[in-house]
Amino acid sequence: MATKKKMAAKKSGTKAGVGAAKKSGTMTVTMAGKPTKAAIPPPDRVSIEVLLSPADSGLSPISAEETIRFSNVASFRPAKVNQDKAAKRLAELGFRIVAASPYSISIEGSPSLFTRTFGTELEVRSIDRVQTGRPMREKSFFAPVAGAPWTAPSGLADIIERAYVQTPAIYFESALPPKVNYFHLNVPSDVAMLTRASQAHQHGITGKGVKVVMIDSGFFNHKFYQSRGFKATVMLGPGAINVKRDDNGHGTAEAANVFATAPGVTFTMIKQGDNSTAAFKAAVALKPDIITCSWGFDLVDAASPNRKHLTSVPNNLKALELEVAHAVASGICVVFSAGNGHVSFPGMHPDVISAGGIFVDQNQGLTASNYASAFDSKPYPGRHVPDVCGLVGMQPHAIYIMLPLQPGCEIDKELSTGGSFPGGDETLLNDGWSAISGTSAAAPQLAGICALLKQKNPSLTPQQIKQALLASAVDCNKGEANDASNEGTALKATVGTDGATGHGLVDAAAAVEIV
Amino acid sequence: MKSKAKARIEAEVILRPDNPTADSKKAVRAESVRQLEASPETVQKVIDKLQTLGFEVTAQSTTSVSIAGPSALFEKVLKANLQGDVNQDDTLSVPQEINTHVEGIYIQRPPTYFDT
C-alpha cells in the first residue's frame, strides 16, 4: 500500500529525473526504461483503476496510516451516488467502463485520452528482465512518468482519489505443480515410475547423447524446466513465429513427458506453422535419432454415420506420408499419437510407433483408456493401431497428468474454466499448469523410452526399437478404447495382444533389458 | 476481399521420381520410398520455377517441395479455388513448365493436437 509520504511526493512531483521526452500528439511519451527492439509493442489502450473518495470518514485509502483490512474497509467506502456520478462522468470523457466495485471503477481508454484528461504523462517501459528471471516474455506497456503532474478533471475532483494506470502482471508460474483434489500423475516422478523408466535411470540410462525432436506448438521455458535443468533448443518451422512463446501450450506440456522418461536427452522443439509436412522436413534435416509427434489428421468421412474410415490417404497428405517413410528409411525412429477417438494419420502409418493409451489407477491397476483411439487401418491393410501404450486418462477429458505450460495460454485457460474434476482440472487460468493427457502424452513418453534404448544400443534400427517395445510391454486386459475411432464399436482389452491397447503398457526397464 | 488477399497459403508440391519403380499413389513405406525420389537436378528445377512464379520455398526434400504465398498468388498462378472447402484429393493446376516433374500440388491445413 502506498504511504501518504509517497503519494504526496507524487502529487507535487516534477519531471526531474525523467529521460529525454518526445511529444507524440498531445501525449508525452518518454523512452526511459526503453524496451529492446524485440519487445512486444505496448497495447493501444491502457487499463486504469479509478479510486473513489470515501463518503464520510475523511479517510483516504492512499494516505491512511493504517493498513486496509476487513475490519476497517467499510470506513473507506464511497457514497453510492458518487460512484454512479464518477462512472457517468468517465464515460462522458470517453473511457470505457469495464468493471466497478464500491471502492473503484475499472476503465479503459487510449493513452492519449488518459494523459489529456488527467493532465499527466506516460512512458513506455518493459518488464524488468531481472524481475521475470528469464530473457524472454519482454513486453512493453505504458506506465506513469515518475513525478509527473496529475489533475482530476472537472466533475471528478471531489469524488475520486486518484486514477492509476495498471501495469501488466508478471507471471509467477511455479516450478512445482498446484495442489488439486483428485487422483492424477506428476512429472517427472510418476510418469517415470509407472513407465518403469526410473529403473533404467538408476542404471545411468537416461537418453544421454540421444537427439529427440518434437514437432509441436512451441516451447515456453517454464520454471519446471529451468529448475530441473531440462534444456530445450527451440526452432521455428516454416510459417511459425515467435520462438519464445507457446500460446497454445501443447508443446510445452508434452515436452515434459519426454524429459520424464528420458531426462538426459538432447531435446529440440520445432514450433510448427500451418504446414506440418514442412515442419517434419525441418525435423529430418536435424538428423535426429527420434522424432515425436502428438498430432495428426482424422481420416474419416465426417458426414457419414459413425465416422466411416477413409480407405486411402488423401492426396494432400501424400507428401507427409513420403516424409515419414523417408525418415524411417533414413534410420530415424518416428513416434506418432494414435489419436483421441481420431482415425489418425500418420499415427496409422506402418513404419511409425503408434502410441495408444492405458490408464493406471491409484492401485496401479491397468485399464484401456476410453479416450484413446484403437482401430484397424483401411489405407494400410493389416496395420493395427496402437502398437503400444503410454499413460493416458479417461473420458470425459483425460484430465490426468499435471503438466507445465505457458501461463495463460489456450490450454491453461480452457481447462480451468470447466469447474470441478472431471469437468475441469481445478487449476487457475494463468498458473502455468494443466492436468491433461490424451495420446499426445503417450507419444513423447514412448519417444523418451526409445531414446533410452538408443543410448543402450546406438546401432538399433527403428524396427528393432519398435520390436523391443512390443516384446516387453505389460499386458492390459481390462477396459475398452474410444468407440469414435472405430466406427462406433469400441475395441476391448483382452489377455495378450488386443485391439484396445495393442501390446500393452510400455515397460522401459524391460525394454532396455532386451536390447 | 482485402483480408483474404493477405492470407498466407501453404502447399506441398509432390515430385515425380525420375525413374519411377514404385507407385506413389499406393501406400508408401520405408522400404519403397527411395524408389520415389526425384534427382537433385529435378528438385532444383522445380524450386527455381516456383520461386520465379513468386512462391516462397519453405522446405524441400527428395520427394516434395513446401511452398507458401499469398492466397491471390495461389489463385492466379495455380488456379486455386479458395472459396469453401478445398477437396483434399484435388491438385491445384501445375504450371506447364514443371508438369513433367510434379505429381500434384496440395494445399495444407493445420493438424489436430491429440491432447485433452
Side-chain angles (χ1 to χ4, degrees):
Chain A
M1 182 182 149
T3 65
K4 183 178 180 181
K5 190 177 175 186
K6 280 180 186 164
M7 286 317 302
K10 279 187 183 175
K11 283 186 175 177
S12 62
T14 67
K15 293 179 191 173
V18 176
K22 62 177 182 179
K23 293 282 181 184
S24 175
T26 56
M27 177 178 57
T28 301
V29 177
T30 77
M31 295 304 287
K34 188 178 171 183
T36 66
K37 283 181 184 171
I40 301 166
D44 58 3
R45 301 182 76 75
V46 286
S47 296
I48 303 143
E49 279 300 312
V50 180
L51 273 179
L52 299 168
S53 298
D56 310 315
S57 63
L59 290 172
S60 162
I62 293 168
S63 59
E65 294 295 335
E66 55 187 328
T67 55
I68 301 174
R69 303 197 55 191
F70 74 93
S71 53
N72 66 352
V73 68
S75 57
F76 293 93
R77 193 178 182 107
K80 178 75 171 73
V81 63
N82 284 348
Q83 186 189 8
D84 295 341
K85 205 193 290 183
K88 188 179 173 208
R89 179 68 181 131
L90 288 163
E92 284 170 1
L93 288 164
F95 293 100
R96 190 169 80 89
I97 313 293
V98 294
S101 82
Y103 301 94
S104 67
I105 300 170
S106 308
I107 60 172
E108 278 184 358
S110 69
S112 59
L113 176 64
F114 175 76
T115 54
R116 192 171 62 241
T117 303
F118 292 99
T120 191
E121 298 169 16
L122 294 173
E123 64 185 3
V124 179
R125 288 190 207 153
S126 66
I127 292 175
D128 189 334
R129 289 167 176 234
V130 176
Q131 275 181 287
T132 64
R134 52 181 177 265
M136 52 188 63
R137 311 174 50 68
E138 187 181 4
K139 193 175 178 182
S140 59
F141 59 95
F142 285 105
V145 173
W150 184 89
T151 314
S154 67
L156 290 174
D158 297 332
I159 56 176
I160 71 167
E161 283 282 314
R162 192 75 189 219
Y164 290 105
V165 169
Q166 302 297 293
T167 53
I170 299 166
Y171 292 131
F172 290 124
E173 88 276 5
S174 171
L176 294 170
K179 186 177 182 302
V180 289
N181 295 311
Y182 54 87
F183 173 67
H184 68 281
L185 306 181
N186 283 318
V187 283
S189 56
D190 295 338
V191 169
M193 180 191 71
L194 294 175
T195 59
R196 297 222 310 141
S198 52
Q199 293 205 8
H201 303 166
Q202 287 162 14
H203 292 93
I205 307 292
T206 62
K208 189 173 182 188
V210 180
K211 287 163 68 176
V212 177
V213 173
M214 174 180 275
I215 303 164
D216 213 290
S217 62
F219 183 86
F220 169 77
N221 196 14
H222 194 285
K223 281 184 184 162
F224 166 84
Y225 295 107
Q226 294 176 40
S227 63
R228 289 165 178 80
F230 296 149
K231 291 187 171 58
T233 301
V234 190
M235 296 177 61
L236 291 178
I241 57 168
N242 204 338
V243 77
K244 293 173 181 173
R245 293 185 63 83
D246 177 11
D247 291 326
N248 175 275
H250 189 262
T252 304
E254 303 310 344
N257 283 295
V258 174
F259 286 114
T261 54
V265 293
T266 302
F267 180 79
T268 301
M269 168 69 72
I270 293 195
K271 181 176 183 176
Q272 65 178 333
D274 285 348
N275 185 348
S276 298
T277 308
F280 199 92
K281 288 173 192 171
V284 171
L286 296 174
K287 300 188 188 314
D289 299 293
I290 294 146
I291 294 175
T292 180
C293 303
S294 296
W295 45 267
F297 299 88
D298 197 16
L299 298 198
V300 294
D301 175 358
S304 67
N306 289 331
R307 296 166 31 85
K308 193 176 174 196
H309 291 201
L310 299 185
T311 55
S312 61
V313 174
N315 286 339
N316 68 325
L317 295 174
K318 290 301 278 187
L320 182 56
E321 181 189 42
L322 285 157
E323 295 310 318
V324 168
H326 196 270
V328 176
S330 304
I332 300 169
C333 181
V334 178
V335 185
F336 264 91
S337 297
N340 303 334
H342 307 90
V343 181
S344 64
F345 173 85
M348 68 169 75
H349 192 280
D351 294 327
V352 309
I353 296 173
S354 184
I358 287 176
F359 176 74
V360 180
D361 63 31
Q362 210 155 1
N363 300 314
Q364 297 194 37
L366 274 54
T367 306
S369 166
N370 60 4
Y371 197 76
S373 292
F375 59 91
D376 288 321
S377 165
K378 289 194 174 161
Y380 304 103
R383 169 54 158 154
H384 179 75
V385 171
D387 288 310
V388 62
C389 295
L391 300 161
V392 175
M394 302 292 274
Q395 289 190 27
H397 302 306
I399 292 172
Y400 189 37
I401 309 174
M402 191 62 77
L403 295 169
L405 26 65
Q406 179 176 298
C409 68
E410 289 170 27
I411 294 175
D412 200 6
K413 286 180 186 163
E414 192 180 311
L415 276 178
S416 63
T417 53
S420 309
F421 176 83
D425 73 349
E426 301 180 12
T427 64
L428 301 176
L429 54 81
N430 59 357
D431 63 355
W433 289 91
S434 283
I436 59 174
S437 65
T439 54
S440 276
Q445 291 163 14
L446 299 191
I449 292 165
C450 294
L452 304 183
L453 306 192
K454 197 76 178 170
Q455 181 192 346
K456 171 93 179 292
N457 182 351
S459 67
L460 288 175
T461 64
Q463 294 77 14
Q464 289 170 324
I465 290 173
K466 188 198 255 188
Q467 281 311 311
L469 294 187
L470 305 193
S472 57
V474 178
D475 188 31
C476 169
N477 55 26
K478 184 181 160 195
E480 58 186 32
N482 193 326
D483 62 354
S485 61
N486 194 44
E487 300 184 345
T489 304
L491 295 178
K492 295 184 188 314
T494 58
V495 174
T497 304
D498 57 62
T501 67
H503 286 71
L505 181 65
V506 70
D507 183 332
V512 166
E513 193 70 29
I514 61 174
V515 296
Chain B
M1 291 303 288
K2 194 177 177 184
S3 61
K4 183 169 164 276
K6 283 182 182 174
R8 178 183 162 97
I9 302 291
E10 310 247 6
E12 285 296 318
V13 181
I14 299 181
L15 302 171
R16 276 203 178 113
D18 292 331
N19 300 298
T21 52
D23 185 355
S24 67
K25 287 179 179 147
K26 292 184 177 169
V28 180
R29 299 286 308 271
E31 57 264 28
S32 60
V33 70
R34 299 278 188 213
Q35 299 163 26
L36 297 167
E37 291 181 325
S39 67
E41 294 74 25
T42 297
V43 177
Q44 196 54 52
K45 188 174 177 182
V46 171
I47 287 173
D48 289 346
K49 183 60 192 174
L50 290 166
Q51 288 177 329
T52 303
L53 291 168
F55 294 99
E56 179 191 350
V57 172
T58 60
Q60 66 183 81
S61 74
T62 52
T63 54
S64 65
V65 174
S66 308
I67 59 171
S71 56
L73 184 65
F74 276 81
E75 288 173 327
K76 184 180 170 193
V77 177
L78 304 179
K79 314 293 180 228
N81 178 3
L82 301 172
Q83 308 296 332
D85 288 340
V86 177
N87 187 318
Q88 10 184 36
D89 279 323
D90 288 351
T91 178
L92 302 180
S93 177
V94 179
Q96 194 182 356
E97 301 91 324
I98 52 173
N99 67 4
T100 55
H101 302 303
V102 171
E103 191 78 46
I105 303 174
Y106 301 96
I107 291 175
Q108 301 297 294
R109 57 196 170 98
T112 301
Y113 288 117
F114 294 142
D115 62 326
T116 294

